[in-house]
Amino acid sequence: MSNDSSDLNKDLIAFLKGSVSKYHAVSQIVNILSNKGFSLLREDQEWNLKRGGKYFVVRNNSSVIGFINGERSLQDTGVKIIGAHTDSPSLTLKPNPITYSSGYSQLGVEVYGGALLKPWFDRDLSVAGRIVFKNSKGDIGEKLIDFERPICVIPSLAIHLNRDANGNSPINPQTDILPILSQNIEGQKPLDEMYFNSEISDKFLKKGEILLDHDLNLYDVQPPSMVGFNEEFISSQRLDNLVSCFIGTMAILGAGSNNTSMIVFNDHEEVGSVSTTGADGPFLDDVIRRVCYSSNDCNVEVVKAKSFVLSCDNAHAVHPNFVHKHDPQHKPQLNGGIVIKYNTKQRYTTDGYSAALFKDLCARINVPIQSFVSRNDMPCGSTIGPLTAGRVGIRGIDIGICQLAMHSCREIIGSKDPLLLRNALSAFLGEEL
Ligand code: ZN
């Protein structure tokens, strides 16, 4: 296994560049797994699992579970699970997106998750995601699409027209963030719904295929990059939480086949996780049960009691301009190592015991750790760890690398942290380092 940050960061940046929607991210993960010998299991078919076999299951093309069915008895080993989420805050297209104002055709968008809205202004934006269509035989299919070029923009209002723009100027998510798609020429038919849909059909569908619906989002066309005087940082869209998905995938590729290892990347974390694909849904439990039932004499409760989840999601690094937003004793630094996240009210699932196990693991492989706990006078975020623990009944810990600008459409992590996370996750899955 390479211990070179630059190789890993190059692959990470390519993955982030291609992850213009959660569907694209899952598709890339599926390709990586398939190319490394993992086989697709369909949930609507019986599974005949081989000991030592490598498999993956996809739900709704927005969440994925990959696993190695260990040679040893599952009841003896339990499952080692790495969890993360595939979705990120974004602006998604409404079902009938085209609106008109003052000679412009605009896109009606819905805010997905707790997005920071300001960073979306004055960026070159494109549209990507999935479309659902009917083919000439009457079958329903879906396809990933990406316009690739900047087809719209959300211009700021000039400061001369809003003198309070740098003060307390709230953004109305219904009226202030509609991107401009095109300027309509007087006397000519404006760019309307029919034209927009026919553009999608012409560009992405074959003859005879009829567009029925879509799950599309905006994204910033600026590619991810290394930034900082000494390239200390990586800036990109969707670092929360695709960095954990990518590194988790790299970790399972190197895992041995002795024990049962699993990655679970859920959708809908940013909107509460209650769905068939979310961490507060049945996906992980369903897969663990089916893996268990595929071997003789497997008691799923025993398996769960011996299992452990490393829930990986990004943490807040201390911001040099806003140091007071952190508890004085808990100020994670970019490139300072993996963050263990604590919250006694169980917004994070970490406790003293699970943290001790993880600290011991990291100490053995020389991976530095940091800790995060919110200030008492500020609310704490959450992630998939407590939901997975509550839903499936498997103990675990919440960890992650730290970042700045969380939920912006341009986020920042330290360039040394991905390798540290990879080493920790690989060690967790039992790879020999
Ligand atoms: Zn997250």
Side-chain angles (χ1 to χ4, degrees):
M1 184 172 68
S2 162
N3 244 349
D4 183 352
S5 251
S6 64
D7 281 354
L8 184 68
N9 286 343
K10 231 179 264 167
D11 292 345
L12 170 64
I13 283 174
F15 174 77
L16 292 164
K17 186 167 184 271
S19 295
V20 287
S21 76
K22 59 191 175 189
Y23 306 103
H24 287 79
V26 168
S27 161
Q28 290 197 89
I29 291 164
V30 161
N31 284 341
I32 293 169
L33 293 174
S34 303
N35 290 337
K36 295 289 181 179
F38 286 69
S39 326
L40 172 69
L41 294 170
R42 289 182 52 125
E43 286 194 276
D44 58 0
Q45 291 174 358
E46 290 295 323
W47 295 357
N48 292 308
L49 304 181
K50 289 196 190 85
R51 283 276 165 87
K54 300 174 177 185
Y55 304 96
F56 65 91
V57 191
V58 180
R59 215 178 248 201
N60 191 39
N61 289 330
S62 65
S63 59
V64 56
I65 291 178
F67 65 94
I68 299 172
N69 190 32
E71 311 270 6
R72 291 175 62 199
S73 154
L74 189 59
Q75 194 151 312
D76 289 343
T77 62
V79 193
K80 288 181 176 175
I81 304 163
I82 294 169
H85 64 90
T86 59
D87 61 322
S88 302
S90 63
L91 302 180
T92 58
L93 263 59
K94 288 183 173 176
N96 305 317
I98 305 295
T99 65
Y100 309 98
S101 178
S102 301
Y104 296 104
S105 288
Q106 293 178 268
L107 285 172
V109 289
E110 196 179 350
V111 180
Y112 177 83
L116 268 179
L117 294 178
K118 267 190 185 167
W120 284 94
F121 286 82
D122 310 322
R123 284 179 189 268
D124 302 341
L125 301 173
S126 191
V127 170
R130 74 167 170 189
I131 54 172
V132 187
F133 63 92
K134 188 152 88 168
N135 68 17
S136 50
K137 289 185 205 144
D139 301 325
I140 305 287
E142 56 185 271
K143 209 172 263 187
L144 297 185
I145 72 161
D146 178 5
F147 275 90
E148 292 179 357
R149 65 190 177 90
I151 59 170
C152 57
V153 63
I154 311 171
S156 293
L157 181 63
I159 196 160
H160 318 78
L161 306 179
N162 178 16
R163 291 288 176 191
D164 200 27
N166 292 329
N168 280 329
S169 191
I171 297 168
N172 182 316
Q174 173 64 20
T175 57
D176 297 354
I177 58 166
L178 283 76
I180 292 176
L181 182 64
S182 109
Q183 185 171 28
N184 297 318
I185 298 159
E186 225 179 296
Q188 289 187 13
K189 200 166 171 273
L191 193 164
D192 59 8
E193 202 84 36
M194 216 182 346
Y195 184 82
F196 184 64
N197 287 341
S198 69
E199 279 291 291
I200 292 177
S201 300
D202 290 352
K203 195 167 164 54
F204 302 109
L205 291 178
K206 291 190 202 121
K207 226 177 165 210
E209 293 177 336
I210 302 161
L211 178 68
L212 296 178
D213 216 320
H214 54 72
D215 294 299
L216 299 173
N217 57 262
L218 303 185
Y219 73 92
D220 177 7
V221 297
Q222 185 184 356
S225 56
M226 306 289 297
V227 297
F229 201 76
N230 297 306
E231 298 196 333
E232 298 98 327
F233 316 116
I234 297 171
S235 91
S236 172
Q237 62 177 347
R238 296 179 179 264
L239 284 167
D240 171 16
N241 186 20
L242 293 184
V243 65
S244 303
C245 292
F246 179 76
I247 300 294
T249 304
M250 293 300 107
I252 202 166
L253 294 186
S257 59
N258 235 351
N259 300 328
T260 298
S261 301
M262 196 173 273
I263 47 176
V264 50
F265 302 148
N266 291 112
D267 191 5
H268 296 139
E269 191 273 343
E270 302 292 357
V271 292
S273 293
V274 182
S275 72
T276 57
T277 53
D280 202 7
F283 191 24
L284 178 60
D285 193 55
D286 287 352
V287 171
I288 289 174
R289 282 178 189 281
R290 292 186 74 166
V291 175
C292 187
Y293 297 154
S294 75
S295 58
N296 295 331
D297 301 328
C298 182
N299 180 325
V300 75
E301 281 74 29
V302 174
V303 170
K304 286 184 180 183
K306 289 189 175 177
S307 299
F308 195 89
V309 180
L310 268 194
S311 159
C312 297
D313 199 355
N314 295 357
H316 296 294
V318 67
H319 192 306
N321 301 345
F322 304 94
V323 177
H324 61 284
K325 294 288 184 185
H326 274 68
D327 181 86
Q329 303 303 317
H330 303 90
K331 295 185 287 194
Q333 296 278 343
L334 297 179
N335 295 316
I338 299 168
V339 180
I340 303 178
K341 301 189 254 182
Y342 296 80
N343 180 265
T344 50
K345 299 178 201 73
Q346 293 303 291
R347 302 285 290 167
Y348 299 127
T349 194
T350 310
D351 63 15
Y353 193 80
S354 59
L357 294 177
F358 188 69
K359 281 180 180 174
D360 181 52
L361 174 94
C362 289
R364 280 187 274 126
I365 54 168
N366 256 337
V367 167
I369 50 138
Q370 317 181 68
S371 52
F372 175 81
V373 62
S374 278
R375 290 176 60 101
N376 284 332
D377 51 6
M378 285 175 65
C380 179
S382 189
T383 180
I384 59 166
L387 300 169
T388 305
R391 182 85 199 186
V392 189
I394 296 177
R395 73 206 161 110
I397 184 172
D398 278 300
I399 59 141
I401 63 177
C402 59
Q403 69 162 103
L404 292 168
M406 191 179 282
H407 290 193
S408 167
C409 57
R410 192 81 184 170
E411 301 179 315
I412 294 160
I413 58 169
S415 55
K416 294 195 177 105
D417 288 329
L419 182 62
L420 298 175
L421 183 64
R422 208 279 314 272
N423 288 348
L425 298 189
S426 297
F428 169 66
L429 295 184
E431 186 189 76
E432 285 187 294
L433 293 166

